[in-house]
Amino acid sequence: MNANHHESSGLSRTQQITLRGPAELADALPFVLGFHPTDSVVLVALHGEHGRFGGRVRLGIPRSPREWASTADHLAECLVEGGTRSGTRPDGIVVFLCQDPAAGETGRRVMERLRPFAQRLRTACGALDIPVYEALCISDGLYFSYCCPDARCCAPDGTPLALSGTSVMAAAAAYAGVQVRGSLRDMEGRFKPSGGPGEERQRAALDASAASIVPRILEDAEGKGREEVRETTLRLAREVLRRFANPKGEASPSGHTSSPTGPKSARVSLAGTAECDAADDALVEAGEAATLILGLQDRVTRDRAAEWMEGWEGTAALRLWRVLARRCVTPYQEHAAAPLTLAGWVAWSTGDEPIARVALGLALDADPEYVFARLLHQACNEGLDPESLRSCLRTERDGRIASDEPAPGTSRRVRTRIARPQSTRQTLRKPGRQTGEGERRSSAGVRPGGPATRKPGSGAPRHGGQRGTRSGR
């Protein structure tokens, strides 16, 4: 288990909803998280006399029972410490264990198999002087209570969950605009290779690109090859980004009805479908995906790509990073950390925290030492406002653009020679891995292009201070 993979957050909705009994608690869980937490243990904090929902933590259920004790202690400490930092120490906790039955297994059997884990979670919370008011197992469309002995409300063989959309929580969530995205497994699947005949072609393209690109990134002492790879990667990324902003059959982000920035209802009807992902995959050729995946292993290139994080750019970039993550086939799984982190950053920046946590969690699965993902995951989980980071990025990018502007009476050629030494001050330590302090500096060195300020149809967009072939750094 990696301690960085847990998710925690406070609830952002202030609407009051009264939940009575285990049935309504079980029904409320997907709306609290924004998705159905398959194969997960979830702890939700309760506050005050009436048990107001507070922060929560979620983690995949460890496969080995030998990890259950340490996992329980870790989750209880995370939830209590998170509440203490925000000044709202929990008064109680609700535990959920969610796991579908294996082949030949029943929901009742899952509940009994996980009973020792539930008991360990209860004792871990009790050791911190926080009582567990309820512990539920949700499996096979049923809920089971580890705490309630009354068979009238919590039958030993399980009680069916409420029909989707029929509960008071579902009605309140629909009124508040809260959307349940489906299962966690479905959300993760949109970032993972799907297999099929195209996988071998993508692997061959990655092999060819790695043989060409990696030596130029790592072995060029003067940095010329690295700079050329950087420029090539960013130029190709901008070109591909335009395809996602203007796919066939869609209007540009200038205000037409099928724009990515159009009404939310029109976008939601298309989002999350296999057909949309297949259409996105068709927009990127295997060789282009390989070039972008390998190029993004360079930290500076990745940070420049992080500029596309709001407006039509953010909408298009999230789709592009999702495609690239799906193209990281065996044995290039670790390379997915870069596009997954970028996807998490875009999702967090645009207010989609469930998608952000899923993407960043997968990035840490691909590379547990990927510092950019760790920092973003922690910031997202602690409820920080991404605008503070965006503000820093804008300030830094303004300075980079200013350095790219020629002084009066100075030719472009002379200005480029003066600016070039600055581009060598950041060096690549190892593709996809950085030190914490260096990461903070690099993250502050990019700035988003702004929401729909340069539309795809109005000429090639210029991001990251790119004017010609020099980076301006």
Side-chain angles (χ1 to χ4, degrees), residues 304 307 393-407 412 415 419 422 425 445-450 453-454 462-467 470-473:
R304 295 288 183 86
E307 297 171 3
L393 304 185
R394 294 184 185 110
T395 300
E396 182 68 17
R397 183 170 183 258
D398 287 344
R400 193 170 70 239
I401 292 176
S403 70
D404 198 46
E405 293 292 341
R412 171 71 181 179
R415 179 184 57 79
Q422 296 178 353
R425 63 182 176 179
V446 294
R447 186 261 187 195
T453 55
R454 291 176 294 278
R462 297 195 299 262
H463 304 291
Q466 303 292 327
R467 294 170 178 260
R470 301 300 181 191
S471 67
R473 289 182 66 90

Side-chain angles (χ1 to χ4, degrees), residues 321-399:
W321 307 143
R322 189 183 280 127
V323 168
L324 296 184
R326 289 195 294 266
R327 299 294 185 88
C328 292
V329 298
T330 307
Y332 292 90
Q333 300 98 319
E334 185 175 307
H335 290 68
L340 285 168
T341 302
L342 288 171
W345 162 236
V346 171
W348 183 45
S349 177
T350 55
D352 195 340
E353 292 188 6
I355 291 292
R357 291 194 183 93
V358 169
L360 293 171
L362 290 174
L364 291 172
D365 285 338
D367 184 353
E369 301 302 321
Y370 203 80
V371 178
F372 192 25
R374 293 175 63 182
L375 295 176
L376 290 176
H377 200 245
Q378 180 180 357
C380 182
N381 286 338
E382 292 183 357
L384 301 182
D385 186 353
E387 179 56 30
S388 59
L389 176 58
R390 285 197 297 256
S391 178
C392 293
L393 304 185
R394 294 184 185 110
T395 300
E396 182 68 17
R397 183 170 183 258
D398 287 344

Side-chain angles (χ1 to χ4, degrees), residues 25 41-48 51-57 72-73 75-81 83 88-96 118 121-136 147:
L25 279 174
V41 50
V42 182
L43 273 62
V44 179
L46 302 178
H47 300 277
R52 174 179 53 83
F53 275 14
R56 78 259 183 184
V57 293
D73 293 339
L75 289 175
E77 290 172 2
C78 285
L79 185 61
V80 174
E81 289 176 3
T88 54
R89 179 180 170 85
D91 297 305
I93 291 175
V94 177
V95 173
F96 299 88
L121 288 162
R122 295 174 68 183
T123 57
C125 295
L128 298 174
D129 295 326
I130 309 292
V132 172
Y133 291 151
E134 183 59 89
L136 298 176
C147 298

Side-chain angles (χ1 to χ4, degrees), residues 27-307:
D27 177 72
L29 183 60
F31 300 99
V32 172
L33 297 177
F35 54 86
H36 294 276
T38 50
D39 197 30
S40 298
V41 50
V42 182
L43 273 62
V44 179
L46 302 178
H47 300 277
E49 179 183 356
H50 300 290
R52 174 179 53 83
F53 275 14
R56 78 259 183 184
V57 293
R58 188 207 67 83
L59 189 70
I61 296 176
R63 294 184 179 181
S64 173
R66 289 178 295 181
E67 299 182 40
W68 288 354
S70 60
T71 298
D73 293 339
H74 169 72
L75 289 175
E77 290 172 2
C78 285
L79 185 61
V80 174
E81 289 176 3
T84 302
R85 283 196 301 268
S86 62
T88 54
R89 179 180 170 85
D91 297 305
I93 291 175
V94 177
V95 173
F96 299 88
L97 294 173
C98 308
Q99 191 172 75
D100 292 332
E105 195 175 31
T106 64
R108 173 73 181 266
R109 181 71 187 95
V110 173
M111 182 271 291
E112 294 294 350
R113 177 167 50 81
L114 295 178
R115 184 183 291 276
F117 189 23
Q119 182 61 30
R120 191 64 186 83
L121 288 162
R122 295 174 68 183
T123 57
C125 295
L128 298 174
D129 295 326
I130 309 292
V132 172
Y133 291 151
E134 183 59 89
L136 298 176
C137 176
I138 301 175
S139 180
D140 198 24
L142 306 170
Y143 75 83
F144 305 82
S145 174
Y146 292 111
C147 298
C148 179
D150 191 344
R152 292 173 297 178
C153 63
C154 300
D157 291 328
T159 305
L161 297 169
L163 293 176
S164 177
T166 62
S167 66
V168 62
M169 187 69 179
Y175 178 79
V178 177
Q179 180 187 6
V180 177
R181 313 298 184 85
S183 71
L184 176 62
R185 186 181 298 110
D186 293 337
M187 294 172 68
E188 291 179 338
R190 300 192 68 194
F191 292 99
K192 295 180 178 180
S194 57
E199 189 166 307
E200 185 58 40
R201 182 169 62 253
Q202 186 61 64
R203 185 179 298 107
L206 284 165
D207 288 340
S209 294
S212 171
I213 292 174
V214 173
R216 297 165 66 191
I217 293 177
L218 295 177
E219 299 174 5
D220 183 8
E222 298 182 0
K224 294 177 60 176
R226 185 183 307 157
E227 184 67 24
E228 291 173 357
V229 170
R230 189 173 295 156
E231 296 295 333
T232 299
T233 303
L234 291 171
R235 185 164 52 247
L236 176 60
R238 293 189 201 100
E239 177 186 334
V240 175
L241 196 70
R242 288 163 55 88
R243 301 176 197 168
F244 286 90
N246 286 303
K248 185 176 181 180
E250 286 191 13
S252 69
S254 57
H256 293 78
T257 56
S258 60
S259 162
T261 57
K264 181 177 180 180
S265 59
R267 301 197 308 276
V268 168
S269 64
L270 297 175
T273 65
E275 291 79 7
C276 284
D277 287 343
D280 286 350
D281 286 331
L283 295 176
V284 186
E285 298 177 357
E288 294 173 328
T291 298
L292 293 175
I293 291 169
L294 272 298
L296 287 173
Q297 304 311 302
D298 171 55
R299 175 172 53 85
V300 176
T301 305
R302 182 209 63 200
D303 288 350
R304 295 288 183 86
E307 297 171 3

